[in-house]
Amino acid sequence: AAVELLSQVGGVAVWSAIRGGSEFRHPLETHLQVLPFPQTGSPLRYPLEFLIDRCVREGPISTLPCFPFEHFLLAVPQSDGAKPAEMAKSIATTYDSALTKLQGIRQGASRLLCFTTTWMLVMPLTPPEPGTPEHEVWLKLPPLHPCALCGIAICPEIDQTFPETAGGQLRQQRLVSSRAEEEGIPEDAPEYSLARNEVRISRQIYDRPLETLGFWVK
């Protein structure tokens, strides 16, 4: 059904496969979604259209120079006059190739996926173990919606915390820190464990979308 919609209306199909961590998505977001063209107010159908088209022309498997994290861009094999069922088989074959590149298995790895009838972008994710400080970060800054892969980054609302409330930034201009790190609480202090789980997310996530998108790529 998604491929038929893509072929008739045009758009980008997106999906987030989350295996592990805590569920953060709206129930609708656990399913494959199709976002119709155009997606912006510009002449482009989606923000990264020119760059993706150029990279697809360079080879069947490539990467985007603007993404500083692991990902793969694959060309979907084309045939003139292909029907939706034939397109679906071609996209499924491309998806299997993407998983091979990521050294994952169909049901065993987390990833963000974005594709059209001509290309597919896949990015691996590494969900943290529940109960860890990293999992506290996951609850406040989960992976972005997969439409970010074609250039539309939808970031969660983040409340400003210290030191940003005082006009400062997190140590070393990080996107993520903790009260323990920001206040220099030693590991042998009684409050260290609690302070380490008090996560602080910088509002710089809105100004640094590529870092935010790649945060859960390990």
Side-chain angles (χ1 to χ4, degrees):
V3 174
E4 186 170 357
L5 186 59
L6 289 176
S7 63
Q8 293 181 359
V9 178
V12 172
V14 295
W15 181 51
S16 57
I18 306 298
R19 319 293 184 190
S22 292
E23 184 55 75
F24 61 90
R25 298 166 294 177
H26 185 281
L28 289 177
E29 294 178 355
T30 63
H31 299 279
L32 187 69
Q33 297 175 298
V34 175
L35 310 177
F37 295 141
Q39 296 171 2
T40 68
S42 75
L44 298 178
R45 295 179 300 168
Y46 51 92
L48 295 181
E49 181 177 7
F50 286 166
L51 180 59
I52 289 177
D53 285 350
R54 188 193 75 191
C55 292
V56 167
R57 288 195 298 269
E58 292 176 352
I61 301 177
S62 58
T63 58
L64 296 183
C66 63
F67 283 178
F69 44 77
E70 185 181 10
H71 69 284
F72 291 100
L73 172 66
L74 298 91
V76 175
Q78 300 291 300
S79 59
D80 294 336
K83 296 181 180 180
E86 297 170 326
M87 291 182 185
K89 290 181 180 179
S90 185
I91 290 173
T93 299
T94 304
Y95 181 62
D96 287 338
S97 298
L99 295 188
T100 300
K101 290 294 294 183
L102 292 175
Q103 297 181 345
I105 56 177
R106 184 175 295 275
Q107 298 296 331
S110 297
R111 67 197 77 90
L112 296 185
L113 179 70
C114 181
F115 66 89
T116 68
T117 57
T118 60
W119 57 264
M120 177 176 293
L121 252 172
V122 60
M123 183 187 88
L125 298 173
T126 305
E129 291 293 329
T132 62
E134 291 76 17
H135 187 256
E136 295 300 315
V137 177
W138 175 276
L139 296 176
K140 292 187 175 182
L141 185 63
L144 299 188
H145 189 281
C147 66
L149 293 177
C150 66
I152 304 174
I154 303 174
C155 297
E157 288 190 34
I158 297 296
D159 293 329
Q160 196 173 43
T161 59
F162 183 82
E164 291 185 326
T165 51
Q169 294 184 340
L170 298 183
R171 288 191 176 190
Q172 300 177 346
Q173 297 186 337
R174 296 177 182 174
L175 291 181
V176 175
S177 186
S178 68
R179 183 167 69 86
E181 292 176 297
E182 295 305 309
E183 297 181 7
I185 299 174
E187 295 186 15
D188 57 356
E191 63 176 318
Y192 176 77
S193 295
L194 179 62
R196 189 184 178 201
N197 285 327
E198 292 183 20
V199 173
R200 293 181 179 176
I201 311 294
S202 173
R203 290 178 64 85
Q204 285 287 313
I205 63 170
Y206 306 123
D207 299 320
R208 293 151 62 183
L210 289 177
E211 290 180 59
T212 306
L213 173 59
F215 187 82
W216 293 109
V217 180
K218 303 299 183 184

